[in-house]
Amino acid sequence: MIELSNVTIRAGEFLLPDVSFQLKSGEYAAIMGRTGIGKTTILEAICGLRTVEKGKVLLNDVDVTSWPTGDRNLGYVPQDLTLFPTMTVQEHLTFAMKLRKYKPPAQQARAEELAELLGISHLLARKPAGLSGGEAQRVALGRALSFRPSCLLLDEPLSALDAGTRDSALELLRSINKLTGVTVIHVTHNAEEARAIANVVLTLEAGDKPGHVKLSNTEANEPS
Amino acid sequence: MVFESPKQSNTLKRSGSLPDVVFFLIMGGLSGAFILLIVLLILADVLYTTPADFMAALSKPEIQSAFKLTIVTCTLATILSIWVATPLGYLLSRYRFPGRWLVDTIVDIPIVLPPLVLGLSLLILFHFQIPVGNGVFQLEAWLRDEVGFPVTYEWPAVVLAQFAVSCAFAVRTMRVTFDQIDPRAEEVARTLGCHRGQAFLQIALPQAWRGMIAAATISWARALGEFGPILVFAGSTRFRTEVLSTTVFLELSIGHLDAAVAVSLLMVVMAVAVLLLLRWLGAGVAP
């Protein structure tokens, strides 16, 4: 379970006051809103890359607001994917497991399992430089899923993909959510995309005061 | 309403290539003047000396000793510089901390300080007497008597004098290197379970090798050319603290112009060799 309780985040002039929502384990939530409104800021606050000014971030009822990023066990896929230029795809998949001191055979087995799920088995020896947008996105997903996180945070995961790849990526995300039971927060500026995939849709809108942003219209949704 | 379209010009005219020719003449002329100056400088050295003079100078035992000491001290100063400049460049690039501007300014002091002043400052630092209890504490005396590692007028002074300047240049290079590496990758690594140290060692550092090669090159070259601080802080005792830059000075001061030019040429060859070696190493580790 993931819960934000009256979380206030400030980023320069921009203020996101009193954000609250709760997601049950295994739910697929979309945070929707126009570009630049602060969707990424919420994801960064959840994974600990941005300081929360007030309020609490709870993961499985544990208050992790002041915890170091790495201890939160969240799989983060940034919008620009940010693959590690010096590592091969295989090294991306095993990176988090090495940090957690998984035994090498377990690392290998998990990497193979993920590569198969994501359809990147043929890319394991490659470095990010030569990968296509869709391939790079699958590697970033694999890297985030490798250590079996409790929640997957996806920042505009489909924005860099062409229409054909988009549909198959949407299908892939849906099946990952179903197969692994991981809670997903999927940030997007595309309402159609949000309604197509999410059980819960949260909308981020301009607030009453200039520079303020509010989260509203929490809707339960029947994904198409 | 009648829409009147603006008149279009249908006559095309070729403007000629004169402006481009003028552009390349001015740019090329200015650049060429500098390149020519450097080539002429080296050429003058080469033409002044004969191969026999060159070999005669290089076979002198005192110059061979200075050559060896130069290689060793420059390499030590470079290793120390990279060792210090990598973390310092990283901190300056990644973090906004109180007093950062001060640290940034202090790092540049060895670059702007007149070399003799730097040497004199080192000398004073090591011989400054601080009253402690009944006696006085002096860094040099403590190092010599207690640690058994005298510095002033010994080879460590050469390394320290070279390091003080080389490191400042290495810090600048490493800082620019880390500025050009996207910090997002380190943030993502932290979400995967890294602490900051692991993100630095496993994500930032492997991407910084090109900058480290550049920093090593500039450090080594600066250390090779260092003269003023070495003369003041380490002296120029033959077979003990004499390095090639001080050899040129010593040979000149006793009127051996041939030997001074031969050693200068040797330094040119060394500088170019190190430049090529590091470039080759750099190309070797390219992903």
Side-chain angles (χ1 to χ4, degrees):
Chain A
M1 197 180 77
I2 178 162
E3 184 182 351
L4 264 66
S5 161
N6 299 102
V7 166
T8 298
I9 314 158
R10 186 184 292 277
E13 291 293 296
F14 160 91
L15 185 76
L16 200 76
D18 290 327
V19 177
S20 295
F21 64 81
Q22 204 182 55
L23 297 172
K24 291 192 208 78
S25 289
E27 269 188 319
Y28 198 118
I31 298 182
M32 209 171 66
R34 63 173 168 78
T35 307
I37 201 160
K39 305 184 294 291
T40 300
T41 309
I42 294 186
L43 284 196
E44 287 182 344
I46 296 173
C47 65
L49 291 175
R50 193 173 284 275
T51 316
V52 167
E53 203 173 80
K54 246 174 36 195
K56 284 179 186 170
V57 178
L58 298 134
L59 298 172
N60 295 329
D61 296 321
V62 180
D63 182 0
V64 297
T65 319
S66 59
W67 281 28
T69 308
D71 293 344
R72 301 186 185 202
N73 216 36
L74 298 168
Y76 177 47
V77 181
Q79 183 171 6
D80 52 6
L81 305 176
T82 321
L83 296 180
F84 306 137
T86 55
M87 289 186 197
T88 61
V89 170
Q90 165 89 19
E91 286 165 332
H92 276 84
L93 297 182
T94 53
F95 183 74
M97 292 190 273
K98 275 191 190 130
L99 292 169
R100 285 166 177 74
K101 303 207 171 10
Y102 281 33
K103 295 218 163 67
Q107 288 180 25
Q108 186 60 30
R110 176 72 176 148
E112 280 169 14
E113 178 193 1
L114 276 170
E116 198 170 325
L117 172 73
L118 298 163
I120 51 173
S121 301
H122 59 297
L123 302 172
L124 289 174
R126 298 259 297 272
K127 285 196 172 165
L131 300 180
S132 73
E135 289 168 343
Q137 196 228 22
R138 283 159 186 260
V139 175
L141 260 175
R143 178 180 63 181
L145 283 167
S146 61
F147 55 100
R148 301 179 200 277
S150 59
C151 181
L152 196 57
L153 307 172
L154 309 173
D155 194 353
E156 299 276 8
L158 309 180
S159 65
L161 306 179
D162 56 59
T165 331
R166 249 175 126 85
D167 288 341
S168 64
L170 212 58
E171 200 49 54
L172 176 69
L173 292 177
R174 200 178 280 146
S175 66
I176 285 171
N177 174 239
K178 284 219 175 82
L179 284 171
T180 63
V182 66
T183 315
V184 182
I185 302 183
H186 174 135
V187 153
T188 176
H189 64 275
N190 185 334
E192 210 178 302
E193 178 183 312
R195 298 215 168 82
I197 193 163
N199 312 110
V200 181
V201 178
L202 308 159
T203 310
L204 207 54
E205 293 171 323
D208 309 326
K209 293 182 202 154
H212 283 216
V213 171
K214 64 177 182 194
L215 191 67
S216 58
N217 296 359
T218 308
E219 39 181 292
N221 181 55
E222 199 57 52
S224 52
Chain B
M1 198 174 101
V2 180
F3 181 76
E4 203 175 322
S5 65
K7 263 190 187 163
Q8 280 184 339
S9 163
N10 288 323
T11 47
L12 293 171
K13 191 175 158 236
R14 192 175 192 277
S15 70
S17 55
L18 188 64
D20 287 352
V21 171
V22 172
F23 167 78
F24 283 117
L25 274 179
I26 294 174
M27 301 298 265
L30 289 171
S31 316
F34 179 61
I35 306 291
L36 189 68
L37 175 69
I38 299 171
V39 171
L40 285 178
L41 285 176
I42 297 171
L43 204 62
D45 284 347
V46 172
L47 293 178
Y48 186 87
T49 187
T50 61
D53 281 350
F54 188 67
M55 294 318 290
L58 297 194
S59 59
K60 285 188 187 173
E62 61 267 31
I63 291 180
Q64 286 182 353
S65 157
F67 173 75
K68 283 180 202 149
L69 188 65
T70 304
I71 298 272
V72 171
T73 54
C74 287
T75 306
L76 279 176
T78 302
I79 293 169
L80 281 176
S81 296
I82 299 298
W83 188 249
V84 172
T86 305
L88 186 49
Y90 185 74
L91 289 178
L92 285 171
S93 168
R94 288 290 185 271
Y95 297 103
R96 303 284 169 270
F97 50 89
R100 181 171 165 275
W101 66 272
L102 188 65
V103 175
D104 207 13
T105 312
I106 290 172
V107 167
D108 279 341
I109 288 179
I111 296 175
V112 295
L113 213 60
L116 283 174
V117 176
L118 183 69
L120 190 63
S121 308
L122 280 166
L123 199 61
I124 292 170
L125 170 70
F126 275 73
H127 292 86
F128 195 76
Q129 297 190 327
I130 307 163
V132 180
N134 293 330
V136 286
F137 173 82
Q138 192 198 59
L139 186 58
E140 180 63 38
W142 179 74
L143 284 170
R144 186 185 57 228
D145 303 334
E146 303 290 327
V147 186
F149 189 73
V151 173
T152 313
Y153 302 125
E154 299 288 343
W155 70 265
V158 178
V159 177
L160 196 56
Q162 290 171 333
F163 165 76
V165 179
S166 292
C167 189
F169 282 94
V171 172
R172 282 282 149 259
T173 312
M174 288 316 296
R175 189 194 161 162
V176 172
T177 300
F178 287 118
D179 279 346
Q180 286 167 351
I181 295 172
D182 186 3
R184 282 297 281 171
E186 290 141 66
E187 289 185 350
V188 171
R190 281 168 52 214
T191 69
L192 294 168
C194 280
H195 50 68
R196 286 180 196 273
Q198 287 170 319
F200 167 68
L201 290 172
Q202 298 187 31
I203 305 297
L205 213 51
Q207 293 181 69
W209 61 267
R210 206 185 282 270
M212 290 173 83
I213 297 274
T217 310
I218 200 155
S219 291
W220 208 91
R222 289 304 311 183
L224 179 70
E226 205 56 45
F227 169 67
I230 295 177
L231 202 61
V232 177
F233 187 44
S236 56
T237 317
R238 291 231 125 140
F239 300 106
R240 253 179 59 200
T241 60
E242 184 187 352
V243 284
L244 290 176
S245 56
T246 42
T247 304
V248 176
F249 173 75
L250 285 177
E251 294 292 338
L252 259 183
S253 64
I254 51 172
H256 292 170
L257 193 56
D258 294 350
V261 174
V263 174
S264 304
L265 264 182
L266 177 64
M267 290 175 78
V268 170
V269 172
M270 286 165 73
V272 172
V274 167
L275 196 70
L276 292 178
L277 177 74
L278 287 170
R279 285 234 170 122
W280 175 74
L281 278 178
V285 291

